[in-house]
Amino acid sequence: MVNGKIWKDTDGNPIQAHGGMIARFRDTWYWYGENKGVPNIPGTTRVEPLGVSCYSSDDLLRWENRGVVLPVPEGVAVMERPKVMFVLQTGRYVMWFHADSEDYTFAGCGVAASDSPAGPFHMIHIIHPNRLDSRDMTLFTDKDGKQYLFHSSDYNKTMVISELTEDGTDVTGDYTKILAEQEREAPAVFLTRGTYYMISSGCTGWLPNTALYAQTQHLRSGWKLTGDPMSGPDSRRTFEGQSTWVFQAGEEFFLMLDHWHPYDLQSSGYSILPVIFDEAGTMTIPWQDEWNGV
Ligand code: DGJ
């Protein structure tokens, strides 16, 4: 797969899984993302969403289209950044996504669930977590099994960590604001060697900007922006991409980027890059021209 370009599924069709995530469930890799497979609404940087797509793979290279696993709920004009987690307490798969109005002023979260990772997912509700606005978002499962929603709030000025209920479908009411006034979005959160990391972008719409990572020893406090981890040509513009998710395969971590084409969103590209740490825990993400799986 050529990084930065649109990738094809096993039928030879463009993979429509933007703002997505990859996870291993029941010994299979699943990739969920936004299906944007129609032309933009003329003259705008928006498509009518087609729902959340799912693809599956055994090798992270050949992706079989499993179809739309969650259609667009009524009244939702923007359906972005779907993320899926397994919930131990119920044995179900729960999906959260950014649900919005055409002009992004609704700023809420959709929640859906399924008994199978390949869907179908059924809508549960659309909420404003803790009565806050929520735009770009991600999910994170901590080492103790507790699950959290990370969401850009206060008109994208501040990141919020909202604790989720044991069944993963709602917030508990307990939340923390981090990186206040730092204006970060596109969060991708993971834990390795006792440190929590978050890779994020600045807030420039569909246009690339400088990625930064933040880190802390304690999930709910102490987050500090550390630096730009990207290395290689065009690194200050995140190689023309934007973070969406970090996944672990074996001992290694990998970052997924979207390479948005604002006026033809369906042709937006993907890349997957290795996330490397030195002894001190400093992160580097080198550009690679190709993704060859693991
Ligand atoms: C940046 C976000 O990261 C994307 O998911 C999308 O919401 C665009 N903004 C819309 O301008």
mmCIF file of all heavy atoms in Angstrom, residues 85 138-143 146-150 164 189-191 196-197 219 245:
data_model
loop_
_atom_site.group_PDB
_atom_site.id
_atom_site.type_symbol
_atom_site.label_atom_id
_atom_site.label_comp_id
_atom_site.label_asym_id
_atom_site.label_seq_id
_atom_site.Cartn_x
_atom_site.Cartn_y
_atom_site.Cartn_z
ATOM 1 N N MET A 85 -14.997 -0.347 20.733
ATOM 2 C CA MET A 85 -14.281 -1.032 21.824
ATOM 3 C C MET A 85 -15.088 -2.246 22.256
ATOM 4 O O MET A 85 -16.317 -2.281 22.121
ATOM 5 C CB MET A 85 -14.087 -0.084 23.017
ATOM 6 C CG MET A 85 -15.387 0.396 23.595
ATOM 7 S SD MET A 85 -15.125 1.635 24.883
ATOM 8 C CE MET A 85 -16.819 1.881 25.406
ATOM 9 N N THR A 138 -11.994 10.096 20.556
ATOM 10 C CA THR A 138 -11.501 8.725 20.455
ATOM 11 C C THR A 138 -11.885 7.984 21.725
ATOM 12 O O THR A 138 -12.358 8.585 22.695
ATOM 13 C CB THR A 138 -9.971 8.690 20.223
ATOM 14 O OG1 THR A 138 -9.603 7.387 19.773
ATOM 15 C CG2 THR A 138 -9.189 9.026 21.494
ATOM 16 N N LEU A 139 -11.683 6.666 21.709
ATOM 17 C CA LEU A 139 -11.932 5.835 22.886
ATOM 18 C C LEU A 139 -10.605 5.289 23.390
ATOM 19 O O LEU A 139 -9.669 5.071 22.616
ATOM 20 C CB LEU A 139 -12.854 4.663 22.531
ATOM 21 C CG LEU A 139 -14.260 5.027 22.070
ATOM 22 C CD1 LEU A 139 -15.009 3.771 21.631
ATOM 23 C CD2 LEU A 139 -15.032 5.755 23.169
ATOM 24 N N PHE A 140 -10.567 5.042 24.703
ATOM 25 C CA PHE A 140 -9.362 4.436 25.289
ATOM 26 C C PHE A 140 -9.775 3.492 26.410
ATOM 27 O O PHE A 140 -10.598 3.849 27.254
ATOM 28 C CB PHE A 140 -8.426 5.525 25.836
ATOM 29 C CG PHE A 140 -7.239 4.961 26.560
ATOM 30 C CD1 PHE A 140 -6.223 4.310 25.856
ATOM 31 C CD2 PHE A 140 -7.143 5.031 27.944
ATOM 32 C CE1 PHE A 140 -5.139 3.753 26.523
ATOM 33 C CE2 PHE A 140 -6.065 4.480 28.614
ATOM 34 C CZ PHE A 140 -5.065 3.843 27.894
ATOM 35 N N THR A 141 -9.203 2.283 26.390
ATOM 36 C CA THR A 141 -9.422 1.315 27.470
ATOM 37 C C THR A 141 -8.165 1.265 28.315
ATOM 38 O O THR A 141 -7.080 0.963 27.814
ATOM 39 C CB THR A 141 -9.737 -0.079 26.896
ATOM 40 O OG1 THR A 141 -10.905 0.018 26.078
ATOM 41 C CG2 THR A 141 -9.975 -1.089 28.016
ATOM 42 N N ASP A 142 -8.293 1.568 29.599
ATOM 43 C CA ASP A 142 -7.131 1.600 30.493
ATOM 44 C C ASP A 142 -6.757 0.183 30.922
ATOM 45 O O ASP A 142 -7.517 -0.770 30.742
ATOM 46 C CB ASP A 142 -7.454 2.475 31.709
ATOM 47 C CG ASP A 142 -6.198 3.017 32.385
ATOM 48 O OD1 ASP A 142 -5.080 2.686 31.928
ATOM 49 O OD2 ASP A 142 -6.331 3.768 33.365
ATOM 50 N N LYS A 143 -5.602 0.076 31.582
ATOM 51 C CA LYS A 143 -5.106 -1.249 31.970
ATOM 52 C C LYS A 143 -5.991 -1.914 33.026
ATOM 53 O O LYS A 143 -6.017 -3.128 33.132
ATOM 54 C CB LYS A 143 -3.649 -1.179 32.436
ATOM 55 C CG LYS A 143 -3.362 -0.184 33.538
ATOM 56 C CD LYS A 143 -1.889 -0.225 33.883
ATOM 57 C CE LYS A 143 -1.511 0.645 35.053
ATOM 58 N NZ LYS A 143 -1.767 2.075 34.896
ATOM 59 N N LYS A 146 -11.117 0.122 32.755
ATOM 60 C CA LYS A 146 -12.011 1.284 32.664
ATOM 61 C C LYS A 146 -11.894 1.906 31.278
ATOM 62 O O LYS A 146 -10.798 1.956 30.705
ATOM 63 C CB LYS A 146 -11.658 2.328 33.722
ATOM 64 C CG LYS A 146 -12.259 2.020 35.067
ATOM 65 C CD LYS A 146 -12.303 3.283 35.908
ATOM 66 C CE LYS A 146 -12.936 2.971 37.241
ATOM 67 N NZ LYS A 146 -12.414 3.781 38.313
ATOM 68 N N GLN A 147 -13.009 2.409 30.781
ATOM 69 C CA GLN A 147 -13.011 2.938 29.414
ATOM 70 C C GLN A 147 -13.375 4.421 29.406
ATOM 71 O O GLN A 147 -14.165 4.882 30.242
ATOM 72 C CB GLN A 147 -13.958 2.097 28.558
ATOM 73 C CG GLN A 147 -13.399 0.663 28.498
ATOM 74 C CD GLN A 147 -14.208 -0.308 27.705
ATOM 75 O OE1 GLN A 147 -15.378 -0.489 27.993
ATOM 76 N NE2 GLN A 147 -13.586 -0.952 26.723
ATOM 77 N N TYR A 148 -12.778 5.147 28.476
ATOM 78 C CA TYR A 148 -12.888 6.605 28.461
ATOM 79 C C TYR A 148 -13.119 7.123 27.039
ATOM 80 O O TYR A 148 -12.604 6.559 26.066
ATOM 81 C CB TYR A 148 -11.601 7.249 28.992
ATOM 82 C CG TYR A 148 -11.289 6.869 30.419
ATOM 83 C CD1 TYR A 148 -10.543 5.731 30.707
ATOM 84 C CD2 TYR A 148 -11.762 7.641 31.486
ATOM 85 C CE1 TYR A 148 -10.263 5.358 32.020
ATOM 86 C CE2 TYR A 148 -11.479 7.286 32.799
ATOM 87 C CZ TYR A 148 -10.736 6.144 33.061
ATOM 88 O OH TYR A 148 -10.466 5.774 34.362
ATOM 89 N N LEU A 149 -13.836 8.234 27.000
ATOM 90 C CA LEU A 149 -13.978 9.010 25.776
ATOM 91 C C LEU A 149 -13.058 10.222 25.909
ATOM 92 O O LEU A 149 -13.108 10.929 26.924
ATOM 93 C CB LEU A 149 -15.441 9.475 25.671
ATOM 94 C CG LEU A 149 -15.770 10.471 24.571
ATOM 95 C CD1 LEU A 149 -15.749 9.780 23.206
ATOM 96 C CD2 LEU A 149 -17.158 11.095 24.833
ATOM 97 N N PHE A 150 -12.209 10.445 24.935
ATOM 98 C CA PHE A 150 -11.419 11.673 24.848
ATOM 99 C C PHE A 150 -12.085 12.532 23.785
ATOM 100 O O PHE A 150 -12.273 12.061 22.661
ATOM 101 C CB PHE A 150 -9.980 11.384 24.407
ATOM 102 C CG PHE A 150 -9.080 10.882 25.493
ATOM 103 C CD1 PHE A 150 -9.302 9.666 26.105
ATOM 104 C CD2 PHE A 150 -7.975 11.633 25.882
ATOM 105 C CE1 PHE A 150 -8.454 9.196 27.105
ATOM 106 C CE2 PHE A 150 -7.109 11.183 26.878
ATOM 107 C CZ PHE A 150 -7.351 9.966 27.497
ATOM 108 N N LEU A 164 -16.453 6.386 31.093
ATOM 109 C CA LEU A 164 -17.644 5.713 30.560
ATOM 110 C C LEU A 164 -18.217 4.723 31.576
ATOM 111 O O LEU A 164 -17.492 4.195 32.426
ATOM 112 C CB LEU A 164 -17.302 4.981 29.256
ATOM 113 C CG LEU A 164 -16.756 5.869 28.135
ATOM 114 C CD1 LEU A 164 -16.528 5.056 26.870
ATOM 115 C CD2 LEU A 164 -17.697 7.045 27.842
ATOM 116 N N VAL A 189 -4.909 7.875 21.422
ATOM 117 C CA VAL A 189 -4.390 7.663 22.774
ATOM 118 C C VAL A 189 -3.964 6.210 22.958
ATOM 119 O O VAL A 189 -4.670 5.290 22.530
ATOM 120 C CB VAL A 189 -5.484 8.019 23.814
ATOM 121 C CG1 VAL A 189 -4.976 7.801 25.237
ATOM 122 C CG2 VAL A 189 -5.942 9.456 23.633
ATOM 123 N N PHE A 190 -2.824 6.008 23.605
ATOM 124 C CA PHE A 190 -2.392 4.646 23.908
ATOM 125 C C PHE A 190 -1.461 4.662 25.112
ATOM 126 O O PHE A 190 -0.977 5.724 25.547
ATOM 127 C CB PHE A 190 -1.732 3.979 22.698
ATOM 128 C CG PHE A 190 -0.487 4.659 22.204
ATOM 129 C CD1 PHE A 190 0.765 4.105 22.455
ATOM 130 C CD2 PHE A 190 -0.553 5.847 21.491
ATOM 131 C CE1 PHE A 190 1.927 4.728 22.013
ATOM 132 C CE2 PHE A 190 0.603 6.481 21.044
ATOM 133 C CZ PHE A 190 1.842 5.917 21.311
ATOM 134 N N LEU A 191 -1.230 3.477 25.646
ATOM 135 C CA LEU A 191 -0.402 3.302 26.849
ATOM 136 C C LEU A 191 0.726 2.343 26.506
ATOM 137 O O LEU A 191 0.486 1.276 25.928
ATOM 138 C CB LEU A 191 -1.278 2.688 27.951
ATOM 139 C CG LEU A 191 -0.594 2.162 29.213
ATOM 140 C CD1 LEU A 191 0.025 3.295 30.017
ATOM 141 C CD2 LEU A 191 -1.608 1.399 30.081
ATOM 142 N N TYR A 196 1.156 7.091 29.383
ATOM 143 C CA TYR A 196 0.037 7.345 28.467
ATOM 144 C C TYR A 196 0.489 8.390 27.457
ATOM 145 O O TYR A 196 1.086 9.405 27.836
ATOM 146 C CB TYR A 196 -1.163 7.900 29.235
ATOM 147 C CG TYR A 196 -1.703 6.946 30.268
ATOM 148 C CD1 TYR A 196 -1.247 6.993 31.591
ATOM 149 C CD2 TYR A 196 -2.663 6.005 29.940
ATOM 150 C CE1 TYR A 196 -1.740 6.118 32.543
ATOM 151 C CE2 TYR A 196 -3.162 5.123 30.889
ATOM 152 C CZ TYR A 196 -2.689 5.182 32.189
ATOM 153 O OH TYR A 196 -3.175 4.316 33.126
ATOM 154 N N TYR A 197 0.194 8.133 26.186
ATOM 155 C CA TYR A 197 0.560 9.067 25.121
ATOM 156 C C TYR A 197 -0.697 9.475 24.346
ATOM 157 O O TYR A 197 -1.600 8.648 24.144
ATOM 158 C CB TYR A 197 1.529 8.428 24.130
ATOM 159 C CG TYR A 197 2.902 8.140 24.693
ATOM 160 C CD1 TYR A 197 3.207 6.892 25.220
ATOM 161 C CD2 TYR A 197 3.894 9.118 24.679
ATOM 162 C CE1 TYR A 197 4.476 6.622 25.727
ATOM 163 C CE2 TYR A 197 5.159 8.858 25.180
ATOM 164 C CZ TYR A 197 5.445 7.610 25.701
ATOM 165 O OH TYR A 197 6.701 7.351 26.195
ATOM 166 N N LEU A 219 -3.446 8.826 33.987
ATOM 167 C CA LEU A 219 -4.396 9.114 32.908
ATOM 168 C C LEU A 219 -5.153 10.425 33.098
ATOM 169 O O LEU A 219 -5.373 11.171 32.150
ATOM 170 C CB LEU A 219 -5.402 7.951 32.778
ATOM 171 C CG LEU A 219 -6.412 8.107 31.644
ATOM 172 C CD1 LEU A 219 -5.734 7.977 30.296
ATOM 173 C CD2 LEU A 219 -7.535 7.088 31.767
ATOM 174 N N TRP A 245 -5.621 7.327 14.890
ATOM 175 C CA TRP A 245 -5.652 6.162 15.787
ATOM 176 C C TRP A 245 -4.256 5.566 15.861
ATOM 177 O O TRP A 245 -3.513 5.603 14.874
ATOM 178 C CB TRP A 245 -6.613 5.120 15.198
ATOM 179 C CG TRP A 245 -6.820 3.883 16.004
ATOM 180 C CD1 TRP A 245 -6.325 2.629 15.710
ATOM 181 C CD2 TRP A 245 -7.577 3.729 17.214
ATOM 182 N NE1 TRP A 245 -6.748 1.736 16.658
ATOM 183 C CE2 TRP A 245 -7.513 2.373 17.593
ATOM 184 C CE3 TRP A 245 -8.306 4.607 18.023
ATOM 185 C CZ2 TRP A 245 -8.140 1.879 18.740
ATOM 186 C CZ3 TRP A 245 -8.938 4.120 19.154
ATOM 187 C CH2 TRP A 245 -8.847 2.781 19.507
#
